[in-house]
């Protein structure tokens, strides 16, 4: 058990005991707050708003694909819809998702601290995020962009849609990402509570730490790449456009040098969440703590060396392709270790099948399929057939949507009582999870089948032989949307009618559960000392061998 | 979805009976090899999926908390188990890599006696040129190849990236401007196979389709004889389809990506900058060579330039053909 020590300045006490939600009032007190919890909540609201926009764009795409012929959109409109979906989901939702919202809120709390190392930088990163989002919103209003979220050249250097403002958006959002990364790295290195060694850190923090390393190292590369593309478009200096003497394949190298590591920015924090939830709700110590922690860092580093597996058919050299294929399997091993460890954690536990655990199990189910189908794509000869088909689309939705977002939703449910001080309706939550899980698998499993049979991605029209699979996928997408709206509904209702949450409703051992729900403005009264591991639950029977 | 709307597609999957549940028909020598690797990985994947998810479901039921007062195991890990589940999957993955690498290498090295065909990708047409026979094909004509004989495609794009994909052959490669990429295959059997563009290329990306027609070698030789370029006059009508004009410019007045050319010769056309131009030989020639110079109002400047791809005789033939479209 931990204890609190330290003196309080007299007369300061009232500040410390007010909830962070009510300590100060007014819109400005939120928009210009330096409190990491409020910044985390603002990020959460912003990210979920963009998730709604990106999701509606996906529904538009799926609705169009219900029949082989063009129904709702022309080719050019359809291309704008899928670009909005991809760009919003990647740059405004998946990249910031868990670290910027749950990470901002819980990183200092789990470290037993009052805030991150640089609270002003943290606020700046949120403001930059909003600025970047405004660029993307402007892009939408000014007619949209139809390059796909990948901005491949020379299409993006020659088309006359609003490419520059979209690039400015992604460019700007990168800085927000870098600032958050720096902040988290410094905070984890320098500001752990007394007694909290690296090996006593909750695994969520290890996941966030590995993520931050990638954000700081990889994001500058995409910034430079997007800048060069803007430069080429504006001044017609040949960099990527072959008509000007540039090399379009070079753009792909630069692009994936960032965009491959960034998929680990998206998934590593979800790994962190699952490590917490699977252990806490199984009432058992995590299986193989060091293996999970080290594999996060290993994935972060190996992840920098595999970008060329996006380019097996791009015309890069056969030797490069071979090396990239081999290294790619090097990422598969640490990922497999994690999955085995999570399942191993459940062994001998006392598993509570609440909504958090259901989302955790859903994550494991979906992520395992996502990981296993990735193996086909890492194998050179099979990827030649699968590349740029719906098989790839299905694979990355299993990993990104089914992995990252299931982890995100599990995390939101796990920490909702702490963030809001309210409990949600558990029955509705379980029902919502079931609908989301069913809808998700119906939407994307069908895409594996049509992809393997040759259905290319980014097609506005398609051959009638694929219609059955497209229709099932579209029905799945609307089911998934219904599940997500149910989830949003009971979460919002809980703010009004929810039962009051206790300090530690799950019996967890990490430090964020030692303060009030919702936390007081300064997180803790006095300095928290960490004298136990994050997974040393009361139920563990040490007398058993 | 009604049952009636389902039925045609059940019938459609009947027609693909040569393929398997996951993979389309095997119509090249690579197809069998690729499918073998696919199913090798697939069954190992299925095994691991049931091991992992089976264990998860079993644990979730077996160790489910009932009273909330259960005591749990103090297990924190197991070095031998962790070593085993790193090493065994690692070795299996190396075998995946090795099989994929072997077949990929075969795909990259065309035999010396392969039939050479040039492929040009452009928005939104595939055209094929047989340098040995002086044959050009485009539009709906498709790619004609003999069965049982290696064929090598040397491909390039005149505008943006495209990708040449024949699912039944399991081959695909990006088609890049200013650069040649190659694929080779040996078709099996005879019949038609779908070709897709699989690198996103704009408005009509999903219409950039054509077919490969595989013929018996004897029939292929016959086809070559019938289509071989003679020294007679260049035919504008066949150029109009082989160079891909027909993909964007209709000859019956219907609006496609570009303006229809029916009855256009000798008329005036409004341009994007508000001015008008008379459609005469010079305007047509300029629009073929430098399409972006004078763009008709209501259309985007999407057409790739043909400068260097057509000689004077061919441009003249095209202009003469366009004059006949009334």
């Amino acid at each position: 058990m931990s204890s609190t020590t330290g003196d309080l300045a007299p007369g300061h006490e009232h500040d410390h005991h007010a909830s962070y939600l009510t300590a100060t009032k007014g819109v400005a007190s939120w928009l210009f707050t330096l409190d990491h919890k409020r910044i985390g909540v603002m990020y959460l609201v912003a990210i979920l708003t963009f998730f709604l926009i990106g999701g509606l764009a996906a529904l538009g795409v799926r609705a169009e694909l219900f029949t082989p012929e063009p129904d709702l959109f022309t080719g050019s409109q359809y291309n704008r819809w899928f670009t909005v979906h991809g760009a919003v989901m990647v740059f405004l939702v998946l990249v910031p998702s868990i670290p910027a919202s749950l990470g901002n809120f819980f990183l200092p709390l789990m470290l037993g601290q009052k805030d991150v190392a640089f609270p002003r930088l943290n606020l700046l990163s949120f403001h930059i995020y909003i600025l970047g989002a405004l660029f993307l919103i402007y892009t939408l209003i000014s007619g949209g962009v139809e390059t796909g979220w990948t901005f491949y050249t020379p299409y993006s250097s020659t088309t006359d849609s609003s490419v520059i403002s979209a690039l400015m958006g992604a460019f700007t959002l990168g800085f927000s990402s870098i600032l958050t990364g720096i902040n988290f790295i410094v905070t984890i290195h320098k500001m752990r509570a007394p007694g909290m060694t690296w090996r006593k850190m909750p695994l969520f923090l290890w996941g966030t730490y590995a993520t931050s390393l990638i954000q700081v190292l990889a994001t500058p590369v995409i910034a430079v790449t997007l800048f060069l593309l803007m430069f080429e478009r504006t001044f017609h200096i040949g960099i990527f456009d072959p008509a000007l003497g540039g090399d379009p394949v070079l753009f792909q190298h630069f692009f994936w040098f960032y965009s491959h590591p960034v998929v680990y920015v998206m998934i590593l924090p979800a790994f962190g969440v699952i490590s917490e939830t699977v252990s806490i709700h199984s009432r058992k110590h995590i299986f193989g703590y060091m293996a999970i922690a080290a594999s996060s860092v290993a994935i972060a580093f190996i992840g920098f060396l595999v970008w060329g597996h996006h380019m097996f058919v791009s015309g890069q050299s056969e030797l490069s392709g071979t090396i990239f294929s081999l290294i790619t399997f090097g990422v598969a091993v640490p990922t497999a270790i994690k999955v085995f460890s999570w399942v191993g954690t459940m062994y001998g536990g006392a598993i509570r099948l609440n909504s958090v655990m259901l989302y955790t199990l859903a994550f494991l189910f979906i992520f395992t399929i996502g990981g296993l189908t990735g193996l086909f794509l890492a194998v050179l000869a099979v990827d030649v057939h699968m590349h740029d088909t719906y098989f790839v689309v299905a694979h990355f939705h299993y990993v990104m949507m089914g992995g990252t977002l299931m982890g995100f939703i599990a995390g939101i449910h796990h920490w909702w009582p702490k963030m809001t001080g309210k409990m949600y309706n558990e029955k509705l939550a379980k029902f919502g999870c079931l609908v989301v899980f069913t809808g998700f698998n119906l939407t994307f499993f069908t895409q594996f089948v049509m992809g393997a049979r040759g259905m290319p991605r980014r097609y506005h029209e398609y051959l009638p032989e694929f219609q059955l699979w497209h229709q099932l996928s579209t029905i799945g997408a609307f089911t998934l949307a219904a599940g997500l709206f149910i989830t949003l509904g009971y979460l919002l209702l809980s703010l009004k009618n929810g039962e009051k949450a206790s300090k530690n409703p799950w019996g967890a051992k990490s430090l964020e559960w030692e303060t009030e729900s919702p936390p007081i403005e300064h997180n803790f009264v006095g300095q928290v000392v960490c004298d136990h591991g994050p997974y040393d639950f009361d139920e563990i029977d040490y007398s058993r061998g | 979805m009604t049952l009636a709307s389902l039925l045609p597609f059940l019938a459609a999957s009947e027609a693909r009976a040569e393929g398997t549940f996951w993979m389309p028909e095997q119509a090249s020598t690579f197809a069998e090899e690729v499918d073998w690797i696919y199913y090798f990985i697939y069954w190992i994947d299925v095994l691991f999926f049931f091991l992992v998810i089976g264990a998860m479901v079993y644990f979730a039921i077996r160790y489910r908390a009932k009273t909330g007062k259960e005591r749990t195991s103090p297990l924190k890990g197991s070095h031998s188990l962790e070593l085993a589940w790193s090493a065994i999957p690692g070795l299996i993955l190396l075998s995946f890599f090795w099989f994929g690498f072997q077949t990929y290498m075969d795909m990259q090295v065309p035999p010396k006696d392969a039939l050479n065909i040039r492929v040009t990708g452009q928005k939104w047409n595939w055209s094929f040129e047989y340098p040995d026979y002086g044959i050009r094909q485009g539009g709906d004509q498709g790619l004609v190849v003999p069965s049982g004989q290696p064929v090598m495609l040397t491909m390039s794009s005149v505008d943006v990236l495209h990708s040449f994909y024949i699912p039944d052959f399991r081959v695909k490669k990006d088609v890049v401007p200013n650069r040649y990429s190659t694929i080779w295959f040996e078709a099996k059997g005879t019949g038609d196979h779908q070709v897709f563009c699989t690198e996103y290329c704009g408005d009509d990306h999903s219409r950039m389709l054509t077919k490969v027609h595989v013929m018996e070698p004897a029939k292929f030789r016959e086809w070559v004889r019938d289509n071989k370029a003679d020294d007679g006059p260049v035919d504008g009508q066949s150029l109009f389809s082989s160079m891909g004009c027909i993909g964007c410019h209709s000859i019956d007045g219907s609006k496609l990506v570009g303006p229809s050319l029916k009855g256009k010769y000798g008329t005036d056309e409004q341009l994007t900058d508000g001015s008008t131009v008379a459609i005469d030989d010079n305007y047509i020639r300029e629009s073929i060579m430098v399409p972006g110079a004078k763009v008709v109002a209501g259309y985007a400047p999407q057409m790739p330039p043909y400068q260097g791809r057509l000689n004077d005789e061919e441009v003249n033939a095209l202009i003469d053909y366009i004059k006949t479209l009334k």
Side-chain angles (χ1 to χ4, degrees), chain A residues 220-279:
Chain A
V221 178
I222 194 72
V224 170
T225 310
L226 299 178
F227 186 76
L228 287 175
L229 181 51
M230 286 188 263
F231 211 69
E232 175 170 69
R233 274 186 69 95
T234 313
F235 300 109
H236 302 288
I237 293 167
I239 302 161
F240 306 122
D241 182 359
L244 302 169
D247 181 357
V249 181
L250 178 68
F251 177 84
Q252 297 177 30
H253 279 290
F254 281 177
F255 181 82
W256 290 114
F257 186 86
Y258 162 78
S259 296
H260 190 77
V262 94
V263 306
Y264 301 112
V265 165
M266 304 173 195
I267 196 68
L268 285 172
F271 289 169
V273 171
I274 297 303
S275 301
E276 298 299 314
T277 57
V278 77
S279 175

Side-chain angles (χ1 to χ4, degrees), chain A residues 288-312:
Chain A
Y289 175 93
M290 272 322 285
I292 294 182
S295 62
S296 287
V297 180
I299 290 171
F301 278 99
I302 305 172
F304 272 100
L305 305 174
V306 300
W307 77 89
H309 70 214
H310 295 267
M311 301 168 59
F312 287 156

Side-chain angles (χ1 to χ4, degrees), chain A residues 42 46 66 80 91 194 198 202 237 256 266 272 283 285 306 340 396 399 435 498 513:
Chain A
M42 289 194 293
F66 197 70
R80 282 167 167 78
F91 296 114
W198 284 88
I237 293 167
W256 290 114
M266 304 173 195
R283 316 305 303 144
H285 196 283
V306 300
F340 296 141
F396 69 70
V399 185
V435 179
W513 300 101

Side-chain angles (χ1 to χ4, degrees), chain B residues 222-253:
Chain B
E222 205 175 296
W223 174 83
V224 167
R225 209 168 42 239
D226 294 346
N227 289 273
K228 210 168 189 164
D230 42 36
D231 293 332
V234 184
D235 173 13
Q237 183 170 6
S238 68
L239 274 177
F240 195 76
S241 72
S242 68
M243 297 310 291
C245 317
I246 200 158
C248 301
H249 301 283
S250 79
I251 54 173
D252 60 3

Side-chain angles (χ1 to χ4, degrees), chain A residues 439-459:
Chain A
F440 176 86
N441 284 293
L442 187 58
T443 311
F444 295 110
F445 199 82
T446 46
Q447 298 187 1
F448 282 123
V449 182
M450 62 173 127
R453 292 177 175 198
M455 172 73 213
R457 65 190 288 202
R458 295 178 167 177
Y459 264 34

Side-chain angles (χ1 to χ4, degrees), chain B residues 303-321:
Chain B
M303 180 171 156
Y306 281 81
Q307 186 98 51
R309 295 176 62 202
L310 293 169
N311 60 30
D312 278 359
E313 196 188 353
E314 290 163 333
V315 174
N316 294 345
L318 275 171
I319 295 172
D320 289 339
Y321 173 65

Side-chain angles (χ1 to χ4, degrees), chain A residues 146 387 465 467 471 544, chain B residues 1 9 16 71 172 200:
Chain A
E146 67 344 354
H387 189 83
E465 68 205 61
Q467 185 171 11
Q471 292 192 333
R544 281 201 232 167
Chain B
M1 187 171 37
F9 311 112
R16 305 168 61 88
R71 307 286 283 165
K172 176 186 294 129
Y200 171 70

